[in-house]
Amino acid sequence: LDVIVSAYYHRRHRERYLKGEASEFRLPEATTLEGFAMDVMGRGGLATYVSFLNAWVPAALAHRDSVMLVTYEALRACPQRVLARVLNGFLGLSVPCQALRLAVRSSSLGRLQAASRT
């Protein structure tokens, strides 16, 4: 359920980036992770996640040729291989290895953190 934890931290600690209509997704300052996850009326908690899976899984099983599962573990282990599978295999593109390497290198956590500080 790391998706819920990520959603909580994004909505709780990156609120400075939420402007205009998106500001409605800001969490009140007193919201705890447990409170966020267990709020059945709120968006993004456990109820939202379960509802999504209940809708998504049957659709994915009915259209297996149109769905590709990518695990976090595979992405962490070899991001270039996963990116190649998605772009060149699943989407049928012809992205060269050099471009894939550049994309992975450019999206490293350190580079993204540095870019967000500027």
Side-chain angles (χ1 to χ4, degrees):
L1 299 175
D2 60 328
V3 171
I4 295 170
V5 174
S6 294
Y8 169 78
Y9 281 99
H10 176 73
R11 289 180 58 192
R12 183 74 183 83
H13 299 289
R14 296 202 173 119
E15 62 188 39
R16 66 180 176 204
Y17 300 112
L18 300 176
K19 297 177 181 164
E21 289 183 23
S23 65
E24 72 185 62
F25 293 104
R26 289 184 186 141
L27 293 175
E29 199 152 319
T31 305
T32 64
L33 175 57
E34 182 178 358
F36 172 72
M38 301 310 290
D39 181 3
V40 295
M41 300 304 287
R43 288 187 246 172
L46 188 57
T48 302
Y49 186 62
V50 169
S51 176
F52 168 77
L53 289 177
N54 284 338
W56 181 84
V57 170
L61 292 174
H63 303 283
R64 290 175 191 253
D65 58 332
S66 301
V67 174
M68 178 181 188
L69 293 177
V70 176
T71 66
Y72 173 79
E73 292 78 12
L75 195 55
R76 289 287 295 156
C78 192
Q80 186 174 331
R81 175 181 285 171
V82 173
L83 188 58
R85 269 186 49 225
V86 171
L87 297 177
N88 296 338
F90 186 71
L91 296 177
L93 303 175
S94 297
V95 180
C97 287
Q98 184 179 0
L100 295 170
R101 277 193 298 275
L102 178 61
V104 170
R105 199 172 36 244
S106 298
S107 61
S108 71
L109 181 59
R111 284 188 185 236
L112 294 173
Q113 287 174 331
S116 72
R117 286 186 226 120
T118 59

